[in-house]
């Protein structure tokens, strides 16, 4: 009789390739495993324990509440005028340099990332506006505008707050606050690398120098964007000041975004707010199904003792932390070409985490490496969700966007190498805040 685990894996792969949600595919594969194990060991196996595992995983996952709240905050900002005001502020700040609108794209992604925690929200919200600005009057090709928008959106979940970091905290039992802190400098490094890439391309192609916004208008642009700019300050100050937990900070983010959009900017109608609620519910539902499927499948992985088997296999190669991280990076980058980032974090990491810990890899550092890999996967073909989103915005063939995005992918690879081999750089801020790892 064929091994139940092998059959369950084949079913998961087949269902996922057929277009079914990865979360539902994992549930189906896990249920098949449970049925086959119950048939093989009718008296020594209790399949009902998985129901208990699932309910406990969801009931005890208090931090999971942060995910729908951060999603709601991002959707409210997208339906309001926050993105427009932030963009005007960024244009006044860096639009005067060669390739200025490309730099505006980078800086706006950095600022918006401190509010949404989602790469998709960045690409759909700020990305749609800045692409229209870049392609107006033919100053930039639509494919280049789409490529730099997709690339810069990867910064969103690295700079806190971050939805993928919350998922990583769920599977690794690490502090969300320290994970958020660890992502700040790597996120800024990624943004700097993409700004440098845009500068070099702008010089080589002779991109125009945009008309500079007079410096006397910078205070006005700053004042108009100030309420929105204060959101990351309130969130991070509250978390690291001990005033609120990350989950409470997510609730504050949603409430603050709604308040300034309705009261201060007066840019959100009831219909727009209702649309944001529906969009947030759909996104939350999709992530919830993925989490439920991963909790069920993780029980299967644990019962098969796969993490310990992998640790024993790698122990034979006498790998140190660096020797372990190199093949892990290659594995995660390869998986990112075909899997969504949340699936990588929830499915693959439970297998790798025990080995990483046994080899002395700091798990907060490992979390940043994992999330960066997952975000690079959003812009690598053939899956590349951000490629399809920006292609839809610009009505460009995905192949044309891929041809333009390779320099930015190489820049992200360089940033990933620095993040991997310089753990002190990643952990400097968490240690400053009291982290002892």
């Amino acid at each position: 009789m064929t091994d139940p685990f092998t059959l369950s894996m084949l079913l998961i792969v087949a269902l996922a390739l057929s277009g079914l949600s990865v979360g539902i595919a994992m549930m189906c594969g896990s249920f098949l495993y449970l049925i086959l194990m119950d048939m093989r060991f009718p008296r020594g196996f209790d399949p009902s324990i998985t129901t208990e595992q699932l309910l406990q995983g969801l009931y005890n996952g208090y931090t999971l509440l942060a995910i729908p709240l951060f999603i709601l905050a991002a959707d409210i900002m997208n339906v309001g005028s926050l993105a427009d005001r932030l963009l005007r502020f960024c244009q006044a700040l860096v639009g005067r340099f060669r390739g200025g609108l490309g730099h505006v794209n980078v800086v706006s992604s950095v600022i918006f990332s401190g509010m949404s925690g989602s790469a998709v929200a960045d690409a759909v919200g700020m990305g749609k506006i800045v692409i229209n600005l870049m392609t107006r009057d033919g100053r930039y090709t639509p494919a280049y505008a789409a490529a730099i928008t997709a690339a810069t959106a990867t910064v969103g979940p690295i700079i806190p707050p971050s939805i993928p970091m919350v998922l990583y905290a769920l599977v690794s039992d690490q502090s969300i606050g320290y994970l958020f802190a660890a992502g700040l400098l790597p996120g800024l490094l990624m943004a700097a690398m993409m700004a440098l890439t845009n500068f070099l391309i702008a010089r080589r192609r002779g991109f125009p120098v945009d008309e500079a916004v007079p410096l006397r208008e910078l205070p006005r642009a700053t004042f108009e964007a100030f309420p929105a700019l204060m959101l990351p300050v309130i969130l991070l100050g509250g978390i690291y000041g001990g005033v609120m937990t990350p989950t409470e900070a997510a609730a504050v983010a949603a409430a603050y975004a709604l308040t300034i959009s309705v009261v201060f900017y007066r840019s959100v109608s009831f219909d727009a707010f209702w649309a944001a609620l529906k969009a947030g519910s759909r996104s939350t539902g999709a992530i919830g199904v993925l989490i439920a499927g991963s909790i069920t499948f993780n029980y299967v992985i644990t019962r098969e003792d796969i993490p310990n088997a992998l640790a024993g296999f790698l122990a034979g190669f006498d790998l140190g932390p660096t020797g372990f991280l190199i093949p892990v990076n290659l594995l995660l980058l390869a998986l990112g070409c075909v899997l969504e980032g949340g699936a990588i974090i929830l499915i693959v990491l439970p297998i790798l985490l025990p080995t990483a810990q046994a080899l002395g890899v700091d798990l907060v550092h490992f979390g940043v490496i994992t999330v960066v890999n997952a975000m690079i996967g959003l812009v690598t073909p053939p899956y590349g969700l951000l490629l399809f989103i920006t292609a839809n915005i610009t009505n460009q063939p995905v192949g044309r966007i891929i041809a333009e995005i390779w320099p930015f992918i190489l820049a992200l690879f360089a940033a990933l190498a620095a993040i991997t081999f310089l753990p002190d750089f990643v952990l400097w801020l968490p240690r400053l805040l009291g982290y002892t790892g």
Side-chain angles (χ1 to χ4, degrees):
M1 183 177 179
T2 307
D3 177 57
F5 181 73
T6 302
L7 288 175
S8 70
M9 286 298 300
L10 290 175
L11 179 61
I12 290 172
V13 172
L15 292 177
L17 291 177
S18 69
L20 192 68
S21 162
V22 174
I24 296 177
M26 284 191 293
M27 290 184 195
C28 293
S30 301
F31 293 154
L32 176 62
Y33 174 87
L34 298 174
I35 292 170
L36 294 176
M37 289 295 290
D38 189 41
M39 292 171 59
R40 179 175 291 188
F41 307 105
R43 296 184 179 179
F45 182 77
D46 182 10
S48 65
I49 194 172
T50 54
T51 305
E52 180 185 351
Q53 293 275 333
L54 176 60
L55 292 175
Q56 285 186 352
L58 294 175
Y59 180 76
N60 295 328
Y62 171 70
T63 56
L64 292 178
L65 287 174
I67 295 175
L69 293 169
F70 279 132
I71 290 173
L72 178 59
D75 287 331
I76 291 173
M77 287 185 281
N78 282 338
V79 299
S81 64
L82 274 74
D84 296 298
R85 297 171 191 274
L86 289 173
L87 193 60
R88 284 198 291 271
F89 169 75
C90 296
Q91 193 170 5
L93 201 63
V94 296
R96 65 188 69 246
F97 306 111
R98 182 171 293 279
L101 288 180
H103 297 309
V104 169
N105 202 322
V106 175
V107 174
S108 64
S109 290
V110 170
I111 295 175
F112 198 73
S113 67
M115 305 175 189
S116 71
S118 166
V120 173
D122 188 350
V124 173
M126 294 293 290
K128 188 178 298 184
I129 300 172
V130 77
I131 284 175
N132 291 336
L133 194 63
M134 291 180 71
T135 55
R136 187 183 303 164
D137 302 326
R139 288 176 290 179
Y140 298 82
T141 64
Y144 181 80
I148 190 173
T149 298
T152 58
T154 61
V155 177
I158 311 301
I159 295 176
S162 167
I163 292 173
M165 292 287 191
V166 175
L167 294 178
Y168 178 82
L170 172 69
V171 299
S172 67
D173 198 30
Q174 296 299 299
S175 163
I176 296 179
Y178 289 140
L179 286 167
F180 280 5
L184 182 58
L185 292 181
L188 293 176
L189 174 64
M190 292 167 63
M193 293 298 296
M194 285 183 285
L196 176 61
T197 303
N198 175 67
F199 174 75
L200 295 175
I201 293 175
R203 288 195 61 179
R204 189 176 79 246
R205 298 188 186 181
F207 284 162
V209 177
D210 300 299
E211 183 179 350
V213 175
L215 289 177
R216 65 177 180 273
E217 294 187 15
L218 182 58
R220 179 181 177 183
T222 304
F223 175 77
E224 290 182 347
F226 183 76
L229 293 172
M230 283 301 295
L231 180 54
V233 177
I234 293 172
L235 291 184
L236 300 183
I239 292 172
Y240 300 123
V243 178
M244 60 185 86
T245 67
T247 303
E248 292 166 346
V252 170
Y256 183 82
L258 180 62
T259 300
I260 61 174
S261 296
V262 173
V263 177
F264 193 87
Y265 293 137
R266 298 181 181 178
S267 59
V268 175
S269 64
F270 177 80
D271 289 340
F273 176 62
W274 182 247
L277 285 176
K278 291 193 292 185
S281 299
R282 285 192 293 268
S283 299
T284 300
I287 294 176
V289 168
L290 182 59
I291 292 172
S294 70
I295 291 175
T296 309
F297 186 63
N298 285 343
Y299 170 78
V300 175
I301 291 174
T302 302
R303 181 171 177 81
E304 289 290 310
D305 203 29
I306 291 175
N308 289 331
L310 177 63
F313 173 75
L314 293 176
F317 294 95
D318 195 25
L319 295 175
T322 303
F324 171 74
L325 289 176
I326 292 174
V328 165
N329 272 326
L330 295 175
L331 171 65
L332 294 178
L333 288 172
L335 290 174
C337 294
V338 294
L339 281 179
E340 191 268 332
I344 293 174
I345 293 171
L346 293 170
I347 301 171
V348 180
L349 282 195
I351 301 174
L352 298 176
L353 280 168
T355 306
Q357 192 167 19
L359 292 174
V361 177
D362 184 272
L363 293 189
V364 170
H365 178 220
F366 190 59
V368 175
I369 293 173
T370 300
V371 175
V372 171
N373 273 288
M375 293 308 102
I376 293 176
L378 292 177
V379 293
T380 51
Y383 184 75
L385 178 60
L386 292 176
L387 298 176
F388 294 104
I389 289 174
T390 53
N392 182 63
I393 293 173
T394 57
N395 293 318
Q396 291 292 300
V398 173
R400 193 171 297 172
I401 298 174
I402 291 173
E404 292 279 14
I405 205 172
W406 280 113
F408 296 100
I409 292 178
L410 294 177
L412 290 172
F413 284 167
L416 175 62
I419 292 165
T420 300
F421 299 122
L422 299 173
D424 290 337
F425 169 73
V426 177
L427 297 174
W428 176 79
L429 187 54
R431 287 170 178 163
L432 195 65
L433 296 170
Y435 180 62
T436 57

